[in-house]
Amino acid sequence: MIEFFIAFRHVVERKFQSIFSVLGVAIAVTVFIVSLTVSNGLEKNMINSLLTMSPHILIKNKHKTFFENYNQIADNVKKIKGVKAVIPQMNSQSILKFEGFAKGVLADGISPENVKHGLNLKIVEGNDNIAALDSILVGEQLAYEMRLKVGQEISLVSAENKEVKLIVKGIFKTGFLDYDSNLVIVPLRTMQILPEQGEVATEIGIKVDSPQKVETVLNQVRSAVDQKEYGIISWKTINQNLLKAVQFEKFVLIAILSLLLIIASFAVSVILNMIVREKIKDIGILKSIGYTNKNIRRIFTIEGLIIGVFGMIMASMLSPLVLIGLKILFKEYMKGGTYYLEELPLYISQIELFVIYVVTFIVVFVSTIFPAARAARLKPVEALKYE
């Protein structure tokens, strides 16, 4: 208790230097938390947008373009724990025509019930009811490019050169530009009629409860399906290059932010060294009345930790304020500047916050070792003679 009191007095006596040291730690931690929160939010938003239409697990026939027994496979997969939805699909590269406009699109045939309950589509205009065979849903960017409105009739030309007239029932937005500008959704039955292959599908998409832990369900799906006949792949494998790039960017970000903490710890170390220089006589007096090297070392270690802890407390108050300010600035000045963001996404887990504070505490503690050891090494006689 006495050691803490002495350490606290030392910190208070040097108000100017102590305040700047606390601010240095607080700013470093705040920048770390804010940057990681924004980075996590953008990453989560990107993955959610990507997985709106992309299945978490994809099953395709290895030997044929179409497979007939997709209902049997779907029924087997639905029994697996963790499976949220099983969505048979029929995809085809097609051409969309409307009033002189023509564009190549991916036509995705999905049953009406799976569109309503299996996909998490955000409908910005109209609705997602494609029960009628002449229904079609188009992406927001595609609708903008071709000047499409709900209720208008358009033509879809399939890969087999079959043309069908469809009515726009709704306009959706996933937030993933590639989908919103190049994808249309039509009833599965309509897509089955065009190639005249009967009730077939080109693939089966599976949605799971926890996309980040898809491996558990993936192994069960592989056990339930003949792997010689069908290829089974997860969304992580499909998008592995994108995920690796995101992970590398996050690694670089954390490495750079860690340098800020190290710089802040140097400031703490410098302040402690200055205090040791100024308090040489005091150290000599303390040693002469019985304080050991361990006691002296503990005093200066506590001083550094007081600065670090106050810096972390200040960071915990500053971080939410900075994040709120960023959200307001983004909403006011950047709305419409990026296609897929309506507001600034923010996310950080409690574990990440805990790790940041623990690492900060350790870095600050390490920065106190040299000054504290230097103070402890002083001999009482030499310290008392110091001018």
Side-chain angles (χ1 to χ4, degrees), residues 6 10 272-301 303 370-386:
I6 295 171
H10 284 177
L272 290 180
N273 269 306
M274 291 173 67
I275 293 174
V276 170
R277 277 181 166 277
E278 290 181 359
K279 302 295 180 181
I280 288 178
K281 273 197 171 184
D282 293 352
I283 294 168
I285 293 170
L286 289 173
K287 282 198 167 187
S288 66
I289 60 174
Y291 272 66
T292 63
N293 289 348
K294 186 178 180 181
N295 297 131
I296 300 299
R297 190 162 47 244
R298 191 178 295 161
I299 289 170
F300 287 94
T301 300
E303 288 180 29
F370 176 74
R374 182 167 173 261
R377 284 197 303 267
L378 289 173
K379 296 179 181 179
V381 176
E382 291 177 2
L384 289 170
K385 287 181 179 179
Y386 180 81

Side-chain angles (χ1 to χ4, degrees), residues 37-105:
T37 302
V38 174
S39 175
N40 286 348
L42 292 171
E43 178 186 342
K44 191 174 182 181
N45 181 79
M46 181 198 68
I47 290 174
N48 288 340
S49 299
L50 178 67
L51 294 180
T52 300
M53 288 301 302
S54 178
H56 303 152
I57 299 173
L58 185 65
I59 303 175
K60 297 192 79 169
N61 195 308
K62 289 181 178 179
H63 310 293
K64 300 177 183 178
T65 304
F66 306 106
F67 55 91
E68 297 81 10
N69 60 337
Y70 67 86
N71 283 322
Q72 181 183 345
I73 295 173
D75 291 337
N76 291 337
V77 172
K78 283 177 183 177
K79 299 173 185 176
I80 296 173
K81 186 179 179 181
V83 171
K84 186 178 178 182
V86 180
I87 308 172
Q89 301 178 41
M90 188 155 182
N91 299 329
S92 174
Q93 292 294 335
S94 307
I95 297 174
L96 201 65
K97 294 181 178 180
F98 176 72
E99 293 184 353
F101 290 97
K103 182 176 180 179
V105 296

